[in-house]
């Protein structure tokens, strides 16, 4: 910009000067153009080269390279455009080179120099806003219009065939084999292709006015010129020989094809002339129908001839508000009046500034119309290209993209996938046209065509590259790249569907394999859901591509899943969860063995995957979100411009949401309902003659019917129609209750243990080394602090306890009267066994991370257990703390701390093929406790439960004997085991024999236990035994007197009241015949002792107080008699006898204690005791006179 002050040019306004180009630069360039040559009068107007034309061409090339490219200026190109170098000199020089002079080396060099100038001069100017300078803004519009003039001159074939001449420059280089071809030859071929690429890219700028005829530089003109000058043959030669005869020209050739066919409708390309005329007639007829429908709608509400007088009316709204509307159309109805008000609203919703995506470059969504001759020429080229050049070219480009060759740029991947989609669509259209032609002429297709012509893009490598490209484009928000990828994926699916419908079995098998590969990856399904779900402002082309992909993918996947019921897909995310669950059970983490870093753990998660059964309903549910619905609603808003296939696509999605998935609540929103109503009822709706109108009408009518019913059932839907629906809201509106969410209870990490063969210090070292390898030194330091704090606390407690024991008691603490005081007298010093235990220390982690680690980290839990720390109970509660038990002394804690320090700073060393994790294993599962309670076993262990249940009924054990086992746990386990066993039916004889054998075994075992108890009693202190038996004898006699008194008093009263009724009968229950002889003898002894006891108690009953009397009619009378009868059986069995009799009557027993002073230790016992027995083996039935 240093010489910009001197740059000037005559402006458009008078004599005003505008600085544009440096005059010195302009002079140099003009002088070189003049010396290049010109038309001479002596040569009949033909162009004549100057004496030093070749040097002038090289100097001009040097100026372009050194000044424009290096200085980032466009001054030289501007000067050459003003000097008309291309049309006035270069094209003339190329046209003067005759075809038979191909061996002339001098003219070949001059033609090559001209080509080297044409390529940079026709190179499209692609500058971003950040790259543009003031110089660029001045020269770019002029140069863009100049390039359009260059293209018009190059394509004009009235004088010269410039394109053919340019191709002749590359023929000598192409004739060489790929081994003998030099770098210069490769560069010449690429130079020719770049020139052809530039010609296809040049178009009139949309923001500038072009004075010439645009048809001369249109796409049709380019295609016709390529066909006429045999450029298509060059493309076919390069494409078919790619990989064998040519190598580095693949990317440039792909660019030429991309800019040549983008925007061309494939369906129109393969129509015949008759079909084209019919389609044009149909389009005209459709346009006329649309116009007629618009006129009918207009005439329905058209103003009358009185509208010139003007009209102003008031419309009464809610809350008695009035609005003023002008115009007679408001008189038709209230709806028209409200619509008139809406039309006059000028409020615009404020929105933040969002930068619109740049869709100008590489835009392939706009439609380009071709002339019939251009269509014919392009169709012939496409057919030949599909037959010979498609597979070699695109397989070679794919390999170059995969290895990231230097010639491959970012835009080339987008062009590659777009061309794959376009040519696959062309192949499908060609097959369809061929079938229609055979059907028209009445011929049957003898042999079906194979799909091998496009097999290079239907392999697994292409699917992987496509999936990777879609993910990268979506993550980087490159919407044009994603648009191309979606189009490619859609065409691949459509091609596979046609292959599955082919009559050839080979094609059907290939289609089956391709579908299995595509639908095998769950990541592919999830990527499509994300694309549809998060549409924003990417444009209509992107919207059309994503909705078409979702529609085709869903339809094919639904059909394929129905055909393959056991379809398996690979899921990586779910695999990671399953892998973690397995690691918690097995306590073996492969990623931790390889590396403890988080990055490698994530990489391992990506590498690992597993299969699971595919559920189509579950997959479709991912589309049932408000964002996906909004995407299709945004697509449906273009209903006036959509064709029947696109309208059908949107209809199928809404029908799936509303009725197949039964989520019509998702569509109950004001804007969606208004859109559907407008499409069907108008104004401006679908044409009733549209083939898809009937389906939309049915959908809208059924949807409105369901909505009316839902509004009556759920009045809250009136409010929810104003908003988008979230998951919980949808569930509530559909079912009337909140969705129940079940959360799994947290589970602690599985228990680990160190393999046997190591002492405690070595075990601590193994676990500590594993934690160090996992970079968990913070947990180790925390455990050390916990142990240090516990040591200090325990030492302080012991010191305080010793000081308390050594201090003499205070005089105030001694009682004034030791005999009557409730304070215990001073005891001798307690022994070591009687020292109270220190309090339990609770471990409180300082952070949530440590708390979670103590609950989830199996290795940390193992280390804490080895340090003698106690885990919480229950173990699956993450909020319960660990504790340090009272049994741990400061010495024990110090030993644990020493082992931990030693393991941290001097970890153990293992063999080369071993690591610390090799010494860990899972704790084996505990055995089933129900196995001990098996009713089907006839041995002694199997009858343990019966023995435990009948311990209190066995007369072999005296009071104070062995403590019976609690029956609650045994009976519970027994019942549980009985429910699980499959019992065999036993006969009565077998059951009786088994019961008899069980009783004999139980009696023999009880005798042995009793013998052991008596042997143990003989070794006790004799004085203590004598004192105990003396007290028991006194208590027995006192109790017998009290019971006898009550019985005597009751008999006296009964005898007085029942003199006239006769003698009272007493009925006793005789033991069963099956009872043993011992039981019958015991029963007789009880009867004799009870009768003698009654006689003695009758004489002693008068001396007792009346308060102690118990009437015979009392429910306790029979109980007392039973107690008397059993009084002579044993020393301490008095209460046992009472219990038996009370249980026999099935009543609660109330016994007054008559021997309250017998023992000083029992002065605080309750005077009333209640005993209940559920069953007994023997008892008495006493008939009452009251009955």
């Amino acid at each position: 910009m240093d010489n910009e002050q001197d740059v000037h040019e005559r402006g458009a306004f008078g004599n005003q000067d505008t600085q544009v180009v440096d005059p010195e630069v302009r002079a140099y360039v003009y002088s070189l153009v003049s010396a290049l040559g010109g038309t001479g009068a002596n040569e009949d107007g033909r162009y004549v080269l100057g004496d030093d034309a070749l040097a002038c061409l090289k100097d001009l090339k040097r100026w372009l390279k050194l000044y424009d490219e290096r200085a980032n200026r466009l001054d030289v190109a501007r000067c050459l455009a003003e000097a008309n170098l291309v049309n006035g000199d270069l094209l003339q020089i190329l046209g003067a080179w005759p075809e038979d002079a191909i061996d002339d080396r001098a003219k070949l060099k001059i033609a090559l120099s001209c080509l080297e100038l044409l390529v940079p001069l026709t190179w499209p100017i692609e500058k971003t806003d950040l790259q543009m300078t003031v110089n660029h803004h001045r020269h770019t519009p002029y140069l863009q219009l100049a390039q359009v003039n260059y293209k018009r001159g190059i394509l004009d074939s009235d004088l010269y065939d410039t394109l053919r001449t340019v191709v002749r420059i590359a023929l000598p280089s192409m004739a060489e084999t790929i081994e003998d071809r030099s770098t210069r030859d490769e560069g010449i071929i690429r130079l020719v292709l770049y020139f052809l690429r530039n010609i296809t890219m040049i178009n009139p700028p949309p923001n500038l006015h072009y004075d010439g005829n645009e048809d001369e530089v249109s796409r049709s003109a380019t295609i016709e010129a390529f066909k006429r000058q045999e450029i298509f043959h060059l493309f076919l030669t390069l494409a078919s020989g790619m990989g064998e005869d040519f190598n580095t020209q693949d990317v440039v050739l792909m660019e030429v094809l991309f800019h040549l066919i983008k925007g061309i409708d494939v369906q129109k390309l393969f129509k015949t002339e008759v079909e084209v005329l019919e389609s044009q007639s149909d389009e005209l007829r459709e346009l006329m129908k649309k116009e007629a429908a618009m006129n009918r709608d207009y005439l329905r509400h058209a103003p009358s001839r009185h509208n010139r007088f003007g009209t102003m009316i008031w419309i009464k709204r809610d809350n008695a508000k009035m609005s003023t509307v002008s115009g007679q159309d408001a008189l038709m109805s209230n709806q028209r009046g409200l619509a008139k008000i809406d039309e006059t609203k000028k409020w615009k919703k404020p929105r933040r500034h969002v930068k619109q995506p740049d869709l100008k470059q590489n835009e392939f969504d706009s439609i380009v119309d071709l002339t019939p001759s251009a269509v014919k020429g392009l169709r012939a080229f496409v057919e030949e290209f599909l037959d010979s050049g498609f597979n070699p070219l695109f397989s070679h480009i794919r390999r170059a993209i995969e290895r990231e060759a230097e010639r491959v740029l970012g835009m080339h991947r987008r062009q590659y996938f777009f061309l794959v989609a376009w040519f696959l669509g062309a192949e499908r259209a060609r097959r369809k046209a061929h079938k229609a032609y055979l059907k028209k002429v009445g011929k049957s297709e003898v042999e079906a065509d194979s799909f091998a012509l496009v097999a290079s893009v239907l392999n697994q490598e292409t699917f992987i590259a496509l999936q990777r490209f879609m993910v990268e484009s979506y993550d980087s928000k490159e919407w044009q790249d994603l648009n191309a990828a979606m189009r490619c994926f859609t065409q691949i699916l459509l091609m596979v569907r046609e292959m599955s419908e082919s009559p050839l079995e080979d094609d059907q098998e290939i289609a089956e394999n391709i579908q299995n590969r595509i639908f095998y990856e769950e990541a592919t399904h999830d990527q499509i859901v994300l694309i549809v779900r998060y549409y924003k402002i990417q444009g209509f082309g992107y919207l059309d591509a994503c909705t078409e992909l979702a529609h085709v993918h869903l339809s094919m996947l639904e059909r394929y899943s129905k055909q393959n019921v056991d379809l398996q897909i690979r899921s990586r995310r779910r695999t990671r969860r399953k892998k973690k669950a397995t690691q918690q059970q097995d306590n073996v983490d492969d990623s931790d063995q390889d590396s403890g870093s988080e990055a490698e753990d994530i990489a391992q998660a990506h590498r690992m995957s597993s299969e699971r059964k595919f559920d189509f309903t579950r997959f479709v549910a991912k589309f049932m979100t408000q964002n996906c619905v909004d995407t299709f609603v945004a697509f449906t808003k273009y209903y006036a411009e959509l064709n029947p296939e696109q309208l059908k696509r949107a209809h199928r999605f809404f029908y799936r949401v509303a009725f197949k998935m039964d989520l019509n609540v998702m569509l109950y929103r004001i804007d969606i309902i208004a859109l559907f109503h407008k499409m069907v009822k108008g104004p401006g709706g679908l044409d009733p003659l549209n083939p898809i109108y009937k389906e939309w009408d049915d959908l809208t009518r059924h949807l409105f019917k369901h909505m009316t019913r839902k509004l009556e059932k759920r009045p809250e839907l009136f409010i929810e129609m104003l908003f988008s629906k979230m998951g919980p809201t949808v569930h509530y509106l559909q079912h009337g209750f909140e969705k129940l969410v079940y959360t799994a209870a947290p589970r602690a990490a599985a228990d680990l243990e160190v393999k046997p063969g190591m002492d405690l210090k070595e075990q601590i070292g193994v676990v500590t080394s594993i934690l160090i390898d996992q970079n968990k030194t913070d947990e180790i330091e925390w455990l050390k602090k916990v142990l240090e704090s516990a040591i200090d606390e325990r030492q302080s407690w012991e010191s305080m306890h010793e000081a308390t024991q050594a201090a003499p008691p205070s005089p105030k603490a001694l009682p004034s009267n030791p005999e009557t005081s409730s304070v215990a007298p001073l005891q001798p010093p307690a022994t070591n066994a009687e020292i109270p235990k220190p309090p339990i220390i609770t471990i409180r982690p300082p952070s949530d991370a440590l708390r979670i680690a103590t609950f989830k980290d199996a290795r940390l839990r193992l280390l804490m257990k080895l340090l003698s720390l106690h885990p919480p109970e229950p173990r699956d509660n993450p909020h319960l703390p660990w504790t340090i038990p009272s049994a741990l002394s400061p010495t024990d804690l110090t030993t644990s701390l020493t082992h931990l320090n030693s393991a941290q700073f001097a970890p153990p060393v293992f063999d080369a093929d071993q690591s610390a994790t090799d010494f860990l294993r899972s704790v084996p599962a505990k055995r089933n406790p129900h196995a001990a309670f098996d009713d089907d076993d006839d041995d002694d262990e199997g009858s343990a439960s019966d023995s435990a249940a009948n311990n209190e009924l066995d007369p072999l054990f005296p009071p104070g004997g062995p403590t019976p086992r609690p029956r609650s746990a045994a009976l519970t386990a027994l019942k549980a085991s009985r429910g699980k066993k499959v019992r065999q039916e036993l006969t009565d004889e077998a059951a009786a024999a088994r019961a008899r054998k069980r009783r004999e075994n139980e009696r023999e075992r009880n005798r042995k236990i009793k013998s052991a108890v008596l042997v143990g009693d003989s070794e006790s202190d004799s004085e203590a035994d004598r004192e105990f038996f003396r007290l028991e004898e006194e208590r027995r006699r006192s109790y017998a007197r009290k019971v006898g008194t009550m019985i005597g008093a009751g008999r006296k009263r009964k005898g007085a009241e029942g003199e006239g009724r006769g003698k009272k009968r007493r009925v006793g229950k005789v033991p069963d015949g099956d009872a043993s002889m011992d039981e019958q003898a015991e029963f007789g002894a009880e009867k004799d002792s009870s009768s003698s006891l009654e006689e003695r108690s009758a004489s002693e009953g008068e001396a007792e107080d009346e308060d102690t009397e118990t009437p015979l009619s009392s429910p306790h009378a029979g109980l007392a008699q039973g107690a008397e009868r059993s009084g002579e059986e044993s020393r301490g069995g008095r209460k046992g006898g009472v219990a038996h009799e009370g249980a026999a009557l099935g009543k609660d027993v109330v016994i007054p204690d008559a021997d309250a002073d017998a023992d000083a230790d029992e002065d605080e016992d309750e005077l009333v005791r209640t005993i209940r027995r559920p069953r007994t083996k023997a008892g008495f039935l006493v008939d009452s006179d009251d009955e």
Side-chain angles (χ1 to χ4, degrees), residues 146-157:
Q147 288 179 348
V148 176
N149 289 325
Y150 299 162
K151 181 176 180 179
R152 183 183 59 180
I154 293 170
L155 296 180
D156 188 7
S157 61

Side-chain angles (χ1 to χ4, degrees), residues 996 999-1000 1003 1069-1084 1177-1178:
R996 190 179 303 107
R999 285 194 297 269
E1000 293 175 358
R1003 189 175 293 108
K1069 185 177 180 181
V1070 182
D1072 298 336
D1074 294 339
S1076 61
M1077 297 299 296
D1078 297 338
E1079 293 175 349
Q1080 295 179 6
E1082 291 173 3
F1083 179 78
K1177 288 185 177 180

Side-chain angles (χ1 to χ4, degrees), residues 1016-1029:
D1017 291 341
S1018 64
E1019 298 176 358
S1020 59
D1021 187 16
S1022 58
E1023 291 188 26
D1025 289 344
R1026 285 194 296 273
E1027 180 67 15
F1028 172 80
F1029 291 129

Side-chain angles (χ1 to χ4, degrees), residues 85-209:
L85 174 67
V86 175
N87 292 328
D89 295 282
L90 300 181
L91 297 183
Q92 300 291 336
I93 296 173
L94 292 175
W97 184 26
E99 294 185 2
D100 54 356
I102 191 173
D103 296 333
D104 191 346
R105 303 295 296 177
K107 291 185 177 181
L108 180 60
K109 289 182 179 181
I110 293 177
L112 181 59
S113 299
C114 293
L115 180 61
E116 291 175 348
L117 282 174
L118 285 173
V119 171
L121 291 176
T122 57
W123 199 280
I125 302 175
E126 297 177 352
K127 299 287 185 180
T128 62
D129 294 338
L130 298 177
Q131 296 174 347
M132 294 287 287
T133 62
V134 177
N135 188 273
H136 293 155
H137 283 289
R138 287 174 177 170
H139 298 319
T140 299
Y142 186 89
L143 293 178
Q144 287 178 346
L145 293 176
Q147 288 179 348
V148 176
N149 289 325
Y150 299 162
K151 181 176 180 179
R152 183 183 59 180
I154 293 170
L155 296 180
D156 188 7
S157 61
D158 294 340
L159 297 177
Y160 312 106
D161 292 337
T162 306
L163 298 176
R164 187 194 300 270
T165 304
V166 170
V167 172
R168 286 164 51 198
I169 299 175
L171 289 179
S173 300
M174 295 174 61
E176 299 288 340
T177 61
I178 190 171
E179 295 83 4
D180 299 336
R181 196 175 299 150
S182 63
T183 306
R184 180 176 179 275
D185 294 333
E186 296 286 349
I188 292 174
I189 299 174
R190 285 201 305 272
L191 202 61
V192 173
L193 291 176
Y194 277 127
F195 174 72
L196 298 175
R197 191 276 312 266
N198 296 343
I199 297 302
T200 57
M201 289 182 65
I202 294 175
N203 290 309
N207 54 348
L208 297 175
H209 175 67

Side-chain angles (χ1 to χ4, degrees), residues 149-399:
N149 289 325
Y150 299 162
K151 181 176 180 179
R152 183 183 59 180
I154 293 170
L155 296 180
D156 188 7
S157 61
D158 294 340
L159 297 177
Y160 312 106
D161 292 337
T162 306
L163 298 176
R164 187 194 300 270
T165 304
V166 170
V167 172
R168 286 164 51 198
I169 299 175
L171 289 179
S173 300
M174 295 174 61
E176 299 288 340
T177 61
I178 190 171
E179 295 83 4
D180 299 336
R181 196 175 299 150
S182 63
T183 306
R184 180 176 179 275
D185 294 333
E186 296 286 349
I188 292 174
I189 299 174
R190 285 201 305 272
L191 202 61
V192 173
L193 291 176
Y194 277 127
F195 174 72
L196 298 175
R197 191 276 312 266
N198 296 343
I199 297 302
T200 57
M201 289 182 65
I202 294 175
N203 290 309
N207 54 348
L208 297 175
H209 175 67
Y210 176 64
D211 295 334
N213 188 3
E214 293 187 0
D215 293 338
E216 297 179 353
V217 292
S218 62
R219 187 79 60 83
S220 298
T222 304
I223 294 174
E224 292 175 359
F226 282 5
K227 177 186 176 183
R228 184 175 56 254
Q229 301 186 33
E230 300 180 349
I231 303 301
F232 286 144
H233 294 294
L234 173 66
F235 297 159
L236 293 174
T237 302
L238 294 173
S240 60
M242 195 62 61
E244 297 179 359
D245 299 331
F246 306 98
N247 190 16
T248 59
Q249 293 80 16
D250 50 357
V251 175
V252 188
L253 179 58
M254 182 181 66
E255 290 189 45
V256 179
L257 296 177
F258 173 77
H259 294 288
L260 187 67
I261 65 177
K262 68 175 182 179
I264 297 177
D265 190 2
V266 178
Q267 303 299 329
K268 295 181 180 179
L269 187 64
F270 286 90
K271 290 182 178 180
T272 61
E273 295 181 359
V274 177
E275 292 176 348
V276 170
L277 292 177
E278 291 179 356
S279 63
Q280 291 177 354
S281 301
D282 293 340
E283 290 179 2
L284 179 60
R285 190 179 300 108
E286 293 295 331
L287 291 175
M288 294 177 66
K289 288 181 180 180
K290 288 184 179 180
E291 184 181 7
M294 293 174 60
N295 291 333
R296 285 194 304 267
D297 185 69
Y298 175 76
L299 293 176
R300 189 181 307 164
H301 307 289
S304 65
R305 61 188 180 89
H306 301 286
N307 63 343
R308 63 181 179 271
F309 300 110
T311 303
M312 179 172 290
I313 62 175
W314 286 352
I315 296 180
K316 188 175 182 180
R317 299 184 299 164
D318 297 338
N319 299 327
K321 293 183 179 181
M322 307 296 292
S323 298
T324 303
V325 181
S326 62
Q328 290 186 353
D329 51 353
L331 295 173
M332 302 295 177
S333 63
N334 293 335
Q335 183 179 2
R336 294 291 298 176
L338 296 175
K340 187 74 174 179
I341 295 176
D342 292 339
E343 292 176 0
T344 58
K345 292 178 180 179
K346 300 297 182 182
W347 180 79
K348 295 182 180 180
K349 181 181 178 181
R351 52 186 304 178
R352 60 186 181 89
H353 176 70
V354 179
K355 184 179 179 181
Q356 298 291 334
D358 186 13
L359 303 179
K360 296 180 181 180
Q361 300 296 333
N362 301 317
E363 176 64 39
F364 43 77
D365 295 326
S366 59
I367 302 300
V368 177
D369 295 327
L370 300 179
T371 61
S373 59
V375 170
K376 185 177 180 180
L378 183 60
R379 180 173 64 243
F381 166 70
V382 170
E383 290 180 350
E384 294 181 5
F385 180 79
L386 287 172
D387 293 338
S388 61
F390 181 84
N391 284 337
L393 177 62
F394 284 97
S395 61
H396 196 269
I397 295 175
R398 178 184 53 79
R399 289 192 293 268

